[in-house]
């Protein structure tokens, strides 16, 4: 079974290799009858029986008309997928236990695409329309249970429009991936092995962004506290600027993986919670992961760097 | 965001069309099903709508079972049975209606739609006129719209748009459907199915009493249409034979089945030959209408011993057949002794006067032919009248008619003449059928209605066979020459106030009536009559030799070609299919080209930008740069930029250029 799955996956990636943008075309789209389609055929057969047995020309005519409609809807269903462009957008990082959300942009051509279903294999589908000359963004979510970098599965895109008796479908790999941070676990600060004080003293550090001493303005970044925005400048239409302060604390907060107890994942989780907490408090800190040291620093970029390191931490076995 | 999870529930759009389709499907069947079905439909539809508005619940299982059982019982009560086509259709319709209240999921809706298609087909069994066919296209379109609506997302539901889509698909399907209709082989029925029950089908019956045919002539219903390959014979040649009635019980002439009926009669073709085809309305009878003596090559029709044509099953649908007739044929020159006696049969103790008159005639005219002439002369010269409303006759009907009332319709004349001839020892029989018909010059066919019903006499002479005489002709020659309308100028025919036949004297109404009739004739002949025989003839004319294998292959190839054509039209591959961003780039180039900045075919976007930048003002330069940057990001750096943003940047550029 699993060998078969592998073979199938390999076949798919040979046929439709991972690409950020896919314009559905002949080589992508498959079309097969649905259950409703088989039922439709059975109903037509019954109608043909009536036509034959009663030698009724109109019954023949209607049977043939509907048969022709059924055949024709192959073209219509196929057309309702052909030319549609799927673009995989970068997914935002998330934490273990959350749903990773993969944004996908659907771009129509000069045709309107109706009732396009998108979803992971064997799961419920999102259905959306894409009006002509426009685009539509949808998000597929996937529950993630492990930290690290995860590639998204192949996405099934299908449509049964207009009659529901055929389904045109494809499986595309939009080369999307998501970074999953460890699940944050709150633990008391003392137990968390924050090595503050003696061995972390590095003199008066003014490198990191702090809260104490006003240093100047810096462009606002996502994640920066709104409390420090220079609203005066913003109201004058000069954009969002952050007031910069230098931290004048003598001691630096350091988060150290080795100083913690418990298994690796637990330790990473605790560190994760601390990173989030310290960033929110705007306390500069550094992160020590075995040989790797990040910081000291504070702010969104620093937080992202720390969390990424936690997510991708591989020295687990030796820690 | 226009998205939602697929729910199996039915979109509103689909529900609307489903309800409309149901009304359309049920409407034409109302004449054939018990009327309480309307009430049932109203209840079910109201219920379902209330469920949609969340004011009511779906019925519980027990309620549904109770509804099903009581509906079936009601069908049984009103139809007297649960089998047969009528009861079957009533059951089908109740199922179609009841399904409405358990319409929860898309699957239920699908079942309902397919049931609807099937119901449309059954409605054709009751009515296959051109109007019914046209009307059913409405029902089919509504059903297809419901099917399309089922696939739509809830948010796009606009009923008008859905039905347009359905109609478009239906229109595109017509060419292939037409091909299939023409070339798909018409098979013989695979098994016998119950036929529609005859509701008041009027027509010639297998017996004839005084007054029967007069009653028939009150109806202007169409019986059949006949077209001739050559000239249409004169009216007095058009004796459309249906049946012979050899057995007389004193009042009524009966048809009698004899074993010898099935034996092919002995006859010789002579004289001119007429080639004709008949399209008859359903009669629920086996006998057909023919000119004596007719022959046909259709294998389901046989020439019976009394020279009538008979189909092997009752005619329940519009039926087309072709035949050749020899009006002067020698029919049965020899009669077996037993049949000779049979055609002299008379009941005892009735009509003594008529018998006595026959004996008297026999003595004066030993020759059969002169005796017959003498009888006809009596009708011609005596005080006999032709009327639709003759006085009632008692036990000795022939006596009373011949010697007392002397007024009657064709059946009185044919009946008494046959009686007299038999009493005089001449084998004779009553023949019933139709006489004459209205000629449609445009399409060269004769149209025969119920009021053309007629009966006449045949007598037999050794060596000469059967010979037709029409006593009515002696009394009312205009009946034969011009038709009943003329013969009964005094008595008005009861065609009804609404019937266009009542307004024949108004020219344009008459023209309209004739054109409409011509259309119906063409419809019946070319569409309804397109069955095995006609298909074979048509294919022979088209292809010469009929080989179903080759037709099959040809059909598949032609359909494939048609599909290729339709898909060309649907996909329009000659139009370049640009993505939205590429389309915006084209607009961008056009915008700059208008300002004399034409991008060369091989010029990169960056190079182009660098080339023209020098001429631009700072804001223009900024706008240009923003667009180019976004475009490149999107196309080459794989950082998807929303089309809206590009569009906006293009707009900014346009404004800044215009502001120069």
């Amino acid at each position: 079974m699993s060998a078969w799955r592998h073979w199938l996956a390999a076949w798919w990636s040979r046929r439709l290799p991972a690409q950020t943008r896919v314009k559905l075309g002949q080589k992508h789209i498959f079309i097969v009858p649905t259950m409703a389609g088989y039922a439709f055929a059975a109903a037509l057969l019954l109608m043909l029986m009536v036509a034959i047995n009663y030698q009724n020309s109109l019954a023949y005519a209607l049977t043939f008309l509907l048969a022709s409609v059924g055949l024709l809807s192959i073209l219509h269903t196929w057309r309702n997928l052909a030319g549609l462009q799927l673009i995989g957008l970068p997914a935002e990082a998330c934490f273990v236990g959350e749903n990773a959300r993969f944004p996908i942009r659907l771009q129509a051509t000069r045709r309107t695409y109706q009732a396009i279903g998108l979803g992971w294999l064997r799961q419920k589908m999102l259905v959306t329309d894409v009006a002509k000359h426009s685009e539509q963004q949808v998000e597929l979510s996937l529950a993630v249970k492990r930290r690290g970098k995860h590639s998204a599965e192949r996405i099934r895109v299908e449509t049964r429009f207009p009659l529901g008796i055929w389904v045109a479908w494809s499986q595309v790999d939009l080369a999307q991936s998501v970074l999953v941070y460890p699940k944050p676990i709150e633990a008391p600060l003392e137990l968390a092995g924050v090595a503050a004080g003696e061995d972390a003293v590095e003199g008066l550090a003014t490198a990191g962004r702090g809260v104490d001493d006003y240093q100047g303005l810096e462009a606002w970044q996502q994640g920066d506290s709104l409390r420090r925005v220079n609203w005066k400048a913003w109201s004058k239409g000069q954009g969002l600027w952050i007031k910069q302060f230098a931290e004048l604390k003598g001691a630096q907060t350091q988060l150290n993986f080795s100083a913690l107890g418990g298994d690796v994942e637990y330790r990473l989780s605790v560190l994760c919670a601390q990173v989030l907490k310290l960033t929110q408090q705007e306390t500069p800190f550094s992160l020590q992961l075995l040989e790797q040291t990040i910081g000291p620093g504070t702010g969104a970029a620093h937080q992202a760097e720390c969390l990424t390191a936690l997510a991708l931490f591989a020295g687990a076995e030796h820690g | 965001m226009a998205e939602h999870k697929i729910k199996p529930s039915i979109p509103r759009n689909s529900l609307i069309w489903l309800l409309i389709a149901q009304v359309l499907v049920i409407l034409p069947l109302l004449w054939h099903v018990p009327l309480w079905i309307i009430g049932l439909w109203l209840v079910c539809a109201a219920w379902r709508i209330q469920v949609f508005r969340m004011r009511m619940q779906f019925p519980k299982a027990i309620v549904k079972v109770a509804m099903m059982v009581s509906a079936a019982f009601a069908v049984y009560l009103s139809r007297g049975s649960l089998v047969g086509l009528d009861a079957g259709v009533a059951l089908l319709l109740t199922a179609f209606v009841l399904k409405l209240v358990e319409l929860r999921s898309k699957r239920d809706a699908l079942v309902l739609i397919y049931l609807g298609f099937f119901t449309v087909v059954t409605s054709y069994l009751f009515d296959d006129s051109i109007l019914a066919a046209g009307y059913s296209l409405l029902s089919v379109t509504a059903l297809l719209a419901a099917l399309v609506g089922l696939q739509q997302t809830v948010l796009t539901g606009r009923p008008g748009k859905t039905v347009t889509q359905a109609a478009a698909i239906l229109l595109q399907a017509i060419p292939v459907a037409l091909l299939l209709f023409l070339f798909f082989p018409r098979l013989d029925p695979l098994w016998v199915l119950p036929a529609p029950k005859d509701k008041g089908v009027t027509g010639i019956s297998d017996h004839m009493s005084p007054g029967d045919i007069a009653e028939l002539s009150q109806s202007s219903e169409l019986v059949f249409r006949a077209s001739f390959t050559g000239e249409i014979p004169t009216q007095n040649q058009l004796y459309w034979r249906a049946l012979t009635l050899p057995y007389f019980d004193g009042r009524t002439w009966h048809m009698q089945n004899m074993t010898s009926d099935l034996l092919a009669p002995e006859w010789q073709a002579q004289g001119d030959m007429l080639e004709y085809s008949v399209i008859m309305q359903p009669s629920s009878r086996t006998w057909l209408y023919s000119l004596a003596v007719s022959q046909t090559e259709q294998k389901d029709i046989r020439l019976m011993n009394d020279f009538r044509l008979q189909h092997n099953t009752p005619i329940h649908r519009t039926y087309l057949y072709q035949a050749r007739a020899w009006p002067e044929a020698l029919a049965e020159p020899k009669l077996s002794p037993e049949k000779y006696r049979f055609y002299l049969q008379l009941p005892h103790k009735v009509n003594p006067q008529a018998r006595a008159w026959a004996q008297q005639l026999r003595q004066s005219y030993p020759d059969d032919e002169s005796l017959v002439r003498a009888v006809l002369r009596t009708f011609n010269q005596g005080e006999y009248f032709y009327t639709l409303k003759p006085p009632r006759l008692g036990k000795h009907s022939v006596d009373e008619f011949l010697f007392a009332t002397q007024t009657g319709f064709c059946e009185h004349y044919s009946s008494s003449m046959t009686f007299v001839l038999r009493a005089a020892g001449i084998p004779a029989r009553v023949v019933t059928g139709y006489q004459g018909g209205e000629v449609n010059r445009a399409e060269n066919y004769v149209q025969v209605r119920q009021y053309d019903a007629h009966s006449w006499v045949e007598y037999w002479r050794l060596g000469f066979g059967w010979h037709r005489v029409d006593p009515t002709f002696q009394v009312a020659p205009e009946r034969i020459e011009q038709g009943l309308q003329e013969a009964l100028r005094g008595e008005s025919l009861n065609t009804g106030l609404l019937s266009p036949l009542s307004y024949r004297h108004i020219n344009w109404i008459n023209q309209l009536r004739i054109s409409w009739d011509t259309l119906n004739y063409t419809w019946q002949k070319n569409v309804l009559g397109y069955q095995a025989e006609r298909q074979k003839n048509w294919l022979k004319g088209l292809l010469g030799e009929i080989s179903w294998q080759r037709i099959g292959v040809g059909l598949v190839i032609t359909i494939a070609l048609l599909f290729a054509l339709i898909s060309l039209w649907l996909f329009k591959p000659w139009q370049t299919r640009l993505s939205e961003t590429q389309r915006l780039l084209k607009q961008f180039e056009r915008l700059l080209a208008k300002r004399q900045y034409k991008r060369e075919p091989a010029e990169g976007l960056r190079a182009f930008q660098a080339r023209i930048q020098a001429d631009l003002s700072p804001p223009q330069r900024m706008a240009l740069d923003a667009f180019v940057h976004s475009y490149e990001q999107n196309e080459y750096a794989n950082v998807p930029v929303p089309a809206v943003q590009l569009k906006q940047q293009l707009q900014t550029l346009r404004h800044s250029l215009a502001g120069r």
Side-chain angles (χ1 to χ4, degrees), chain A residues 20-21 23 36 39-40 43 46-50 52-62 64-66 68-69 71-72 75-76 78-79 85 87 89 105 107 109-111 114-115 124-129 133-138 160-165, chain B residues 1-4 6 85 110 114 117-118 120-121 124-125 128 140 147-148 151-153 156 165 169-170 172-173 176-177 180-181 184 186-191 193-194 317 523 527-528 530-531 563 566-567 570-571 575 577 580 583 634-635 638 640-643:
Chain A
T20 312
R21 53 179 75 210
K23 190 163 194 177
F40 187 72
L46 210 63
M47 284 158 69
L48 187 65
M49 287 295 118
V50 172
I52 289 174
N53 282 311
Y54 285 104
Q55 303 199 324
N56 189 304
S57 278
L58 290 185
Y60 271 117
L62 182 60
F64 295 147
L65 185 63
L66 289 177
S68 173
V69 163
L71 286 177
L72 200 71
L75 295 180
H76 282 268
W78 202 84
R79 187 171 82 132
Q85 183 154 261
I87 304 166
L89 302 179
R105 185 174 295 157
Q107 260 185 3
T109 53
R110 64 177 72 223
R111 278 202 301 273
Q114 290 201 57
K124 267 210 158 168
M125 295 221 154
L126 275 167
V127 181
T128 183
D129 293 342
H133 297 315
S134 79
E135 48 187 22
Q136 185 69 255
Q137 193 162 318
V138 295
R160 288 156 197 253
F161 191 82
L163 296 187
I165 58 181
Chain B
M1 206 176 285
E3 65 176 80
H4 78 118
I6 283 191
L85 188 69
L110 215 57
Y114 291 174
F117 284 132
F118 194 74
V120 172
V121 164
Y124 292 149
L125 302 182
D128 54 7
V140 170
L147 197 56
V148 173
Q151 298 307 321
Q152 281 176 321
T153 51
T156 32
Q165 254 157 350
I169 297 176
L170 211 57
Q172 288 161 15
V176 173
L180 283 170
F181 183 80
F184 188 88
R186 297 298 190 272
L187 307 169
D188 286 331
L190 305 174
W191 59 82
L193 285 171
R317 62 192 168 85
W523 170 256
V527 181
L528 303 184
Y530 193 76
Q531 295 294 343
F563 261 79
I566 294 171
S567 50
L570 282 178
F571 290 99
Q575 295 178 345
R577 210 160 289 298
E580 193 56 18
R583 206 172 66 90
N634 188 59
E635 290 295 295
N638 232 345
V641 175

Side-chain angles (χ1 to χ4, degrees), chain B residues 492-511:
Chain B
S492 68
L493 268 177
N494 184 16
T495 45
L497 210 61
L498 287 177
S499 162
L501 283 170
S502 310
Y503 305 99
R504 303 168 174 260
H505 50 281
I506 304 173
N507 202 27
W508 67 270
I509 295 187
N510 207 35
Q511 275 307 315

Side-chain angles (χ1 to χ4, degrees), chain A residues 5-266:
Chain A
R5 282 251 174 90
H6 273 229
W7 180 86
L8 198 66
W11 183 84
W12 273 112
S13 41
R14 267 203 315 277
R15 191 181 167 102
L16 306 176
Q19 269 178 311
T20 312
R21 53 179 75 210
V22 173
K23 190 163 194 177
L24 295 174
Q26 216 162 340
K27 71 170 180 177
H28 302 95
I29 304 174
F30 300 81
I31 188 158
V32 287
T34 58
M35 278 316 282
Y38 288 115
F40 187 72
L44 285 187
L45 207 63
L46 210 63
M47 284 158 69
L48 187 65
M49 287 295 118
V50 172
I52 289 174
N53 282 311
Y54 285 104
Q55 303 199 324
N56 189 304
S57 278
L58 290 185
Y60 271 117
L62 182 60
T63 311
F64 295 147
L65 185 63
L66 289 177
S68 173
V69 163
L71 286 177
L72 200 71
S73 70
I74 298 179
L75 295 180
H76 282 268
T77 308
W78 202 84
R79 187 171 82 132
N80 197 37
L81 214 50
L84 183 70
Q85 183 154 261
L86 298 150
I87 304 166
L89 302 179
E92 231 171 83
C94 68
F95 296 93
V96 167
E98 284 182 349
N99 279 338
R101 298 203 307 267
F102 296 92
I104 294 158
R105 185 174 295 157
L106 302 171
Q107 260 185 3
T109 53
R110 64 177 72 223
R111 278 202 301 273
T112 295
Y113 294 83
Q114 290 201 57
I116 303 292
L118 276 175
W120 312 112
L121 293 182
R122 289 170 294 277
Q123 277 180 36
K124 267 210 158 168
M125 295 221 154
L126 275 167
V127 181
T128 183
D129 293 342
V130 192
K132 60 182 167 192
H133 297 315
S134 79
E135 48 187 22
Q136 185 69 255
Q137 193 162 318
V138 295
E139 269 184 349
L140 292 181
S141 55
L142 193 65
V144 278
K145 296 190 179 71
R146 283 179 304 107
R147 67 185 173 85
K149 202 170 175 76
H150 293 285
S151 294
E153 288 173 38
R154 270 185 187 273
I155 296 164
R156 182 179 164 101
V157 45
E158 65 163 50
T159 183
R160 288 156 197 253
F161 191 82
L163 296 187
I165 58 181
W166 300 94
V167 56
W169 61 279
S170 190
Q171 283 184 19
V172 291
D173 189 340
L174 296 177
Q176 281 174 301
S177 61
V178 64
L179 191 63
V180 182
Y181 302 142
K183 186 189 183 101
I185 294 175
E186 287 282 351
L189 199 63
E190 290 75 38
L191 295 177
V194 177
E198 315 86 64
D199 50 327
V201 174
E202 306 263 331
L204 292 171
T206 51
R209 294 200 298 178
V211 283
D212 300 342
D213 191 18
Y214 181 69
Q215 278 199 321
L217 288 171
E218 190 178 87
W220 183 82
Q221 296 176 343
Q222 190 133 26
D224 278 342
S225 166
L226 286 175
R227 276 184 288 156
R228 289 194 296 159
V229 167
N230 184 346
W231 293 111
K232 219 180 261 175
W234 185 77
S235 64
K236 288 181 195 153
Q238 291 166 339
L240 281 173
W241 297 93
I242 293 282
K243 289 180 221 159
Q244 279 296 333
F245 297 88
E247 187 142 4
L248 294 175
K249 237 181 215 168
Q252 189 100 57
T253 308
Q254 193 195 40
L255 302 172
N256 193 342
F257 175 77
S258 310
L260 286 166
D263 74 353
V264 177
E265 293 304 320
Y266 174 76

Side-chain angles (χ1 to χ4, degrees), chain B residues 579-645:
Chain B
S579 73
E580 193 56 18
T581 41
Q582 287 166 331
R583 206 172 66 90
L584 289 169
L585 182 68
K586 278 265 183 297
Q587 284 183 13
F588 165 81
E589 286 174 349
R590 242 177 287 143
L591 174 70
L592 287 169
K594 263 191 250 164
R595 311 256 151 205
Q596 314 308 323
Y597 304 124
K598 202 164 157 31
R599 186 181 166 198
E600 299 305 322
E603 193 175 13
L605 200 53
R606 279 276 167 208
F608 176 57
Q609 185 193 5
R611 180 161 67 82
I612 66 171
Q613 223 162 18
D615 291 0
L616 302 176
S617 67
Q620 287 169 347
R621 217 176 293 166
M622 255 174 76
L624 177 71
D625 189 57
F627 180 85
V628 170
H629 179 76
S630 292
Y631 183 82
E632 290 199 323
Q633 284 283 305
N634 188 59
E635 290 295 295
Y636 311 113
N638 232 345
V639 182
V641 175
V644 192
Q645 186 187 327

Side-chain angles (χ1 to χ4, degrees), chain A residues 267-288:
Chain A
R267 282 195 262 176
L268 290 172
S269 286
V270 171
L271 287 175
C272 177
Q274 286 307 325
V275 167
L276 293 174
K277 194 169 165 191
L278 289 173
T279 306
Q280 214 201 345
Q281 290 169 352
E282 293 167 13
T283 312
F285 65 92
S286 63
L287 178 66
Q288 183 80 42

